[in-house]
Amino acid sequence: MTTVSATAPEAARQLLGSSRPISWVNTAYPFAAAYLMAGGGSTVELIVGVLFFLFPYNLLMYGINDVFDYESDLRNPRKGGVEGIVLSDRWHRLTLWSAGLLSLPFVVFLLAAGTLVSGVVLAVVLAAVVGYSAPRIRLKERPLLDSMTSSTHFVGPAVFGLALAEAPPTLAVVASMVAFFFWGMASQAFGAAQDVTADREAGIGSIATALGARGAVRTAMVLYAAAGLVMLLAGWPGALAGVLVLPYLVSILPFRSLPDERCEEANRGWRRFLWLNMVTGFLVTLLLIWIARGG
C-alpha cells in the first residue's frame, strides 16, 4: 500500500506531463468555437466534448507519441519542459491503458449523441491520432502525410464540432477549415525542422528529414501564406482572420536558410509559436464574437 501511494503522484505527474497541458486549448477551443458558432448552444454535448478534447484526447495523442518515440526523445535536447517530457519507460504501459480507458466513455457518448456524419468525422480524427505514432502505421514518419495527419489532430475537433451541430458546408465554413488545415500543416513542418538531427539519429523520417531544415521552414512559409489567402474566400469579416498568419510568417522568416547542422536554433521560433498561439486564439475569439453579433 505504501509503495502504491508513493508512486501514484509520480504516475499522475507523468500522465499530466505527457498530455502537454499547454496544448489542451489548441484542441478544446476549436471544438467549442465551431460547435457554438454553428448554433450548437450550451448543451451536454458541448460540455462532454470540451472535457474530452482537453485532457483525454491530448493524452491519447501525445501519450502514444511519447511511448513510441522514447528513443528519439532521449536524444532530443528540447524534451523535458513545456514542449514535452521524456516519458519514463516505467510508465509506458500505464500511459497506453490510461489514454484508451479515459477516452472510451467520452467517445461512446459523443458517438451516441451525434449523427452518422459526426461519427465518421470522429472516427477519422481518432484514427489520425493513433496512426500518427502507432507502430507499423507511423504516419509521422511519412513525409507530407506527417504534416497532414498532425494538422488533422487540431482541425479535426473543429470539423467534429461543426458536424455535431449539423452545420451546413457553406463557402465560409469550408474556407475556414481549409485555411486552418494549411496552418496546421505549416506549424507541423516548422516544428519538425528543429528535430532533423535527433530524428535522423533515431532513424525517424519526417517532412523535415526529407526536405532538410531549410526546406521544411520554407514549406511552412508557403503553407502559412496559403492559409491567409484561402481565408479571403470566407467573406467579410471572416477574411480578417487571414491577417493572423502574418505574425507566424515573421516569426519563422529568420530560419528560412537554416542548415541542418544548426536545426536546434529553430527552437527559438517554436517557443514563440507556442505563445503566439495564445495571442492568436484571443484575437480569433474577438473576431468570432463580432461575427456572432452580426459583423
Side-chain angles (χ1 to χ4, degrees):
M1 180 66 72
T2 301
T3 301
V4 173
S5 61
T7 58
E10 176 60 20
R13 282 193 292 271
Q14 289 281 302
L15 292 176
L16 184 64
S18 186
S19 72
R20 314 284 202 281
I22 196 172
S23 296
W24 288 4
V25 68
N26 295 336
T27 50
Y29 178 82
F31 165 76
Y35 184 79
L36 290 172
M37 288 299 293
S42 300
T43 63
V44 175
E45 289 81 359
L46 172 66
I47 296 171
V48 173
V50 167
L51 291 176
F52 172 61
F53 286 114
L54 275 173
F55 177 62
Y57 179 81
N58 281 284
L59 180 61
L60 186 68
M61 176 163 57
Y62 293 118
I64 294 174
N65 182 76
D66 285 347
V67 169
F68 295 109
D69 277 13
Y70 179 64
E71 293 299 326
S72 175
D73 288 348
L74 288 174
R75 298 178 176 87
N76 195 329
R78 72 184 179 90
K79 292 294 183 177
V82 296
E83 298 175 62
I85 65 171
V86 177
L87 182 67
S88 171
D89 54 2
R90 177 186 182 186
W91 306 111
H92 285 184
R93 183 181 296 273
L94 174 65
T95 299
L96 294 177
W97 276 103
S98 298
L101 293 177
L102 284 173
S103 297
L104 184 59
F106 291 93
V107 172
V108 170
F109 175 86
L110 292 171
L111 287 174
T115 63
L116 176 61
V117 173
S118 66
V120 170
V121 171
L122 184 58
V124 170
V125 172
L126 294 176
V129 165
V130 175
Y132 187 69
S133 303
R136 298 189 180 182
I137 305 174
R138 298 287 288 177
L139 294 173
K140 68 170 295 176
E141 294 192 38
R142 304 176 189 275
L144 186 59
L145 282 178
D146 59 343
S147 294
M148 296 174 68
T149 308
S150 178
S151 185
T152 301
H153 295 164
F154 304 98
V155 180
V159 176
F160 176 67
L162 293 170
L164 192 62
E166 300 185 54
T170 63
L171 178 59
V173 167
V174 173
S176 298
M177 293 301 101
V178 171
F180 191 8
F181 190 75
F182 284 159
W183 175 90
M185 289 184 64
S187 300
Q188 191 278 341
F190 179 68
Q194 63 190 315
D195 293 333
V196 168
T197 300
D199 284 347
R200 283 177 175 164
E201 289 178 354
I204 294 175
S206 72
I207 190 170
T209 60
L211 299 178
R214 180 186 295 108
V217 173
R218 294 183 178 184
T219 297
M221 294 177 67
V222 170
L223 288 167
Y224 278 135
L229 292 174
V230 169
M231 275 306 300
L232 296 178
L233 300 175
W236 181 264
L240 287 174
V243 177
L244 297 179
V245 303
L246 294 179
Y248 291 95
L249 281 168
V250 172
S251 179
I252 69 175
L253 182 63
F255 307 102
R256 65 190 181 279
S257 298
L258 185 68
D260 291 355
E261 59 270 19
R262 289 166 42 202
C263 65
E264 291 87 356
E265 294 178 15
N267 183 248
R268 297 198 312 273
W270 184 252
R271 287 180 175 271
R272 282 198 300 269
F273 166 83
L274 294 175
W275 296 110
L276 188 58
N277 285 347
M278 302 298 178
V279 177
T280 302
F282 172 72
L283 294 175
V284 168
T285 300
L286 293 181
L287 180 58
L288 290 176
I289 292 173
W290 185 19
I291 294 173
R293 292 183 174 180

